[in-house]
Amino acid sequence: MSNIVQIKIMDVEVGKATTKTQKPYEFLEVSYKNQSFQDKPEVKKVMPFGSKEVYDVLKGAVKGDVFTVTREKNDNGFWDWIS
């Protein structure tokens, strides 16, 4: 099941972490207003091993940018951004 939301970027921060095998990687912490749901402020971690397209686009996002995001519920019940 997928759906589409429109978001307005408030901030994008790059975080650093390590995998279970101690390999370093970066992730994005995206703060945005969900314009599809009463401009509700939300935060989403976007991982580089998810959708590479989404990660690459959001890495260059700046405050005020607006995106239409297609998202899909994964097996654990969380929304993954797929495009």
Side-chain angles (χ1 to χ4, degrees):
M1 172 176 88
S2 65
N3 75 6
I4 296 174
V5 293
Q6 190 163 32
I7 65 168
K8 185 173 185 177
I9 301 295
M10 296 186 322
D11 190 32
V12 177
E13 294 182 15
V14 177
K16 296 183 185 285
T18 55
T19 65
K20 291 178 184 176
T21 58
Q22 302 306 313
K23 293 184 181 178
Y25 68 94
E26 292 182 342
F27 62 90
L28 304 177
E29 189 164 280
V30 181
S31 300
Y32 62 96
K33 289 186 178 180
N34 186 340
Q35 294 187 314
S36 299
F37 189 70
Q38 304 169 346
D39 270 348
K40 179 182 174 202
E42 298 180 17
V43 177
K44 170 84 172 160
K45 280 189 180 178
V46 178
M47 302 297 180
F49 39 81
S51 170
K52 184 75 171 138
E53 174 194 1
V54 171
Y55 184 86
D56 289 344
V57 169
L58 291 175
K59 191 168 185 177
V62 295
K63 183 177 182 173
D65 283 352
V66 176
F67 296 99
T68 300
V69 177
T70 302
R71 59 187 193 166
E72 190 171 82
K73 268 202 178 171
N74 63 29
D75 292 338
N76 295 322
F78 297 103
W79 288 107
D80 291 331
W81 292 0
I82 58 173
S83 67

